[in-house]
Amino acid sequence: MPAATAAVATEAAVATERWDGLLLGATLATLDAETGYGLVEDGALGWRDGMLAYVGPRDGLPGEIDALADEVIEADGLVTPGLVDCHTHAVFAGDRAAEFELRLQGASYEQIARAGGGILSTVGAVRAASEAELLRQSEPRVLALLRDGVTTLEIKSGYGLDFDNERKMLRVARALGERYRIDVRTTYLAAHALPPEYKDDADGYIDAAIGWLPQLQAEGLVDAVDAFCEGIGFSPAQTRRMFEAARALGLPVKLHADQLSDLGGAALAAHFDGLSADHIEYTSDAGVRAMAEHGTVAVLLPGAFHVLRETRLPPIERLRAQRVPMAVATDCNPGTAPLLSLRQAMQLACTHFRLTPEEALRGATQHAAKALGLADRGVLRTGMRADFVHWRIRHPAELCYWLGGDLAHGSFAGGRRLT
């Protein structure tokens, strides 16, 4: 067995019961090492009760194939961990295609927002939609992400901006997870924009949004708390108040940080032991150091960078130097990232931010899972969740090489086939 294969092959668990499934023949990209893809040629992947029971070469299996598993899948191509989209706004109503045209005519994101467009136009559409209608409109976006390899998904609120509509968005996110049998992590983002009812009273609105949080948590609708800390969003002081309320309830935080300017958002998130700081185009050296010290993941969102035609790059080299994990996500939203493929986000991260294909794949699996506080997925290793994707390609770099196309042959979450 080649040395690289031996290093990543995992010993089989002692099989006291038959496995639920066994996939044979594909190359495994386990990512189960600090560097490299962890490739296993002619691999075998076995799972039982939603967990991986064997990851390694076919010739290392602990018995006869027919005696090991109830279902045996002969495969070629490539298998990777399931993709994790750790930053989306996939639940919304309507669209903002007209803003796309305005930006091409020279209007800035800030100008559109200050003129009453942007987030507030989506707020109006969400408020007007029933819960059933919001689910109907959001479902195709989630399906598109799943069909391109996503097996875990984060969805934020933030287009309701009052109690009933924030609750409606979070309920729809939970319903999508139940309908498609995937883990949907919900994030409370009431501090996304200032609603019309609180015009010129941002502090009053933060008071209200903090007041809604305990009930939403009690209903099981909130996994984390986020905010938009920016000149056209909320100040660091207002963000801090929201984070203190989250901490009092035992909820982890994350932050839209330093996208348009450096308000110290990444450092603020880190000081609250935040799961992630997202966007971070303007994050300073001090912010990067704080993220490194507190284990906060940098979530790169190249889709928004691309659509907004930004030129200020995130501090990639400083993140590498400080060994800050870099995740990649779609930021799927109606205004600045109408992106329905995490694999396309990986390609954009390579093209715009100069990530390597390996960094992009880790960013959409292992590091994205960390950005959601999930330690049981993101690599192929015995004892981890059986979340994986079988691809119609031969090498992991192809995931970032091909622009579009139907590359996912089948996806599994917790050992259950999704697509």
Side-chain angles (χ1 to χ4, degrees), residues 1 32 63 75 86 98 105 108 142 154 205 208 277 295 312 354 387 394 410:
M1 183 190 309
D32 194 16
C86 64
Q105 294 165 9
S108 71
V142 170
E154 186 252 22
Y205 176 66
R312 176 68 175 249
R354 301 297 190 267
D387 290 3
R394 302 301 305 178

Side-chain angles (χ1 to χ4, degrees), residues 176-396:
L176 287 164
E178 292 167 4
R179 177 167 294 188
Y180 292 103
R181 300 186 304 169
I182 62 165
D183 192 357
V184 170
R185 310 299 289 180
T186 53
T187 299
Y188 180 63
L189 182 58
H192 195 197
L194 196 60
E197 307 88 74
Y198 285 87
K199 189 176 185 297
D200 301 322
D201 186 14
D203 286 328
Y205 176 66
I206 290 294
D207 287 340
I210 288 171
W212 305 329
L213 182 55
Q215 183 174 340
L216 295 173
Q217 184 199 28
E219 293 180 14
L221 295 175
V222 180
D223 295 319
V225 173
D226 196 351
F228 183 33
C229 184
E230 194 55 73
I232 59 172
F234 295 91
S235 71
Q238 291 158 347
T239 301
R240 180 179 291 275
R241 289 173 54 209
M242 179 61 75
F243 282 4
E244 287 170 347
R247 184 164 59 185
L249 293 171
L251 290 167
V253 301
K254 55 183 64 181
L255 186 63
H256 286 64
D258 308 334
Q259 179 185 9
L260 306 173
S261 61
D262 183 11
L263 296 184
L268 175 61
H271 290 151
F272 277 84
D273 295 319
L275 293 174
S276 68
D278 304 25
H279 288 290
I280 65 166
E281 281 90 338
Y282 284 83
T283 294
S284 66
D285 288 347
V288 173
R289 288 195 299 271
M291 293 171 71
E293 291 168 4
H294 290 267
T296 298
V297 176
V299 176
L300 306 178
L301 303 172
F305 182 94
H306 177 79
V307 169
L308 294 174
R309 296 185 295 166
E310 295 288 355
T311 57
R312 176 68 175 249
L313 294 168
I316 301 296
E317 289 303 327
R318 284 174 284 164
L319 293 166
R320 285 174 175 148
Q322 293 288 333
R323 300 179 65 82
V324 175
M326 291 183 287
V328 177
T330 62
D331 192 18
C332 173
N333 75 70
T336 61
L339 181 55
L340 299 177
S341 166
L342 181 50
R343 189 171 56 80
Q344 184 67 67
M346 293 162 59
Q347 201 282 332
L348 291 172
C350 292
T351 300
H352 288 309
F353 299 162
R354 301 297 190 267
L355 263 61
T356 67
E358 181 197 333
E359 286 177 320
L361 180 56
R362 285 187 183 275
T365 53
Q366 181 181 27
H367 299 328
K370 180 177 172 61
L372 296 179
L374 301 173
D376 63 348
R377 67 202 73 185
V379 299
L380 300 180
R381 181 193 307 141
T382 297
M384 301 289 274
R385 267 177 59 101
D387 290 3
F388 58 92
V389 185
H390 176 208
W391 303 95
R392 299 183 181 95
I393 56 176
R394 302 301 305 178
H395 192 275

Side-chain angles (χ1 to χ4, degrees), residues 11-285:
E11 291 294 329
V14 176
T16 57
E17 301 177 31
R18 287 171 63 87
W19 299 337
D20 298 324
L22 174 62
L23 186 146
L24 298 170
T27 297
L28 309 180
T30 67
L31 302 180
D32 194 16
E34 287 193 11
T35 60
Y37 292 113
L39 296 179
V40 179
E41 303 293 340
D42 192 19
L45 198 71
W47 61 94
R48 176 161 47 88
D49 296 333
M51 310 299 288
L52 292 173
Y54 179 86
V55 182
R58 184 202 295 254
D59 61 15
L61 285 167
E64 295 297 324
I65 290 171
D66 290 344
L68 286 173
D70 294 332
E71 178 185 17
V72 178
I73 303 170
E74 287 284 351
D76 57 9
L78 180 77
V79 171
T80 70
L83 303 187
V84 177
D85 199 347
C86 64
H87 181 132
T88 87
H89 306 255
V91 169
F92 60 86
D95 67 69
R96 283 159 41 199
E99 292 180 16
F100 177 68
E101 289 191 308
L102 287 174
R103 282 195 298 271
L104 292 175
Q105 294 165 9
S108 71
Y109 176 66
E110 186 168 354
Q111 287 170 334
I112 291 170
R114 292 197 182 281
I119 292 169
L120 290 182
S121 64
T122 301
V123 170
V126 166
R127 289 182 174 186
S130 67
E131 188 168 318
E133 175 63 16
L134 188 58
L135 176 64
R136 187 192 68 79
Q137 291 194 39
S138 302
E139 191 171 19
R141 293 185 285 272
V142 170
L143 273 174
L145 293 169
L146 298 188
R147 287 169 180 157
D148 206 37
V150 169
T151 57
T152 300
L153 180 65
E154 186 252 22
I155 299 178
K156 303 178 190 294
S157 67
Y159 294 130
L161 308 188
D162 61 21
F163 176 79
D164 289 338
N165 287 290
E166 288 291 294
R167 182 174 182 264
K168 178 172 68 179
M169 291 188 68
L170 294 166
R171 283 171 53 87
V172 167
R174 284 282 190 248
L176 287 164
E178 292 167 4
R179 177 167 294 188
Y180 292 103
R181 300 186 304 169
I182 62 165
D183 192 357
V184 170
R185 310 299 289 180
T186 53
T187 299
Y188 180 63
L189 182 58
H192 195 197
L194 196 60
E197 307 88 74
Y198 285 87
K199 189 176 185 297
D200 301 322
D201 186 14
D203 286 328
Y205 176 66
I206 290 294
D207 287 340
I210 288 171
W212 305 329
L213 182 55
Q215 183 174 340
L216 295 173
Q217 184 199 28
E219 293 180 14
L221 295 175
V222 180
D223 295 319
V225 173
D226 196 351
F228 183 33
C229 184
E230 194 55 73
I232 59 172
F234 295 91
S235 71
Q238 291 158 347
T239 301
R240 180 179 291 275
R241 289 173 54 209
M242 179 61 75
F243 282 4
E244 287 170 347
R247 184 164 59 185
L249 293 171
L251 290 167
V253 301
K254 55 183 64 181
L255 186 63
H256 286 64
D258 308 334
Q259 179 185 9
L260 306 173
S261 61
D262 183 11
L263 296 184
L268 175 61
H271 290 151
F272 277 84
D273 295 319
L275 293 174
S276 68
D278 304 25
H279 288 290
I280 65 166
E281 281 90 338
Y282 284 83
T283 294
S284 66
D285 288 347

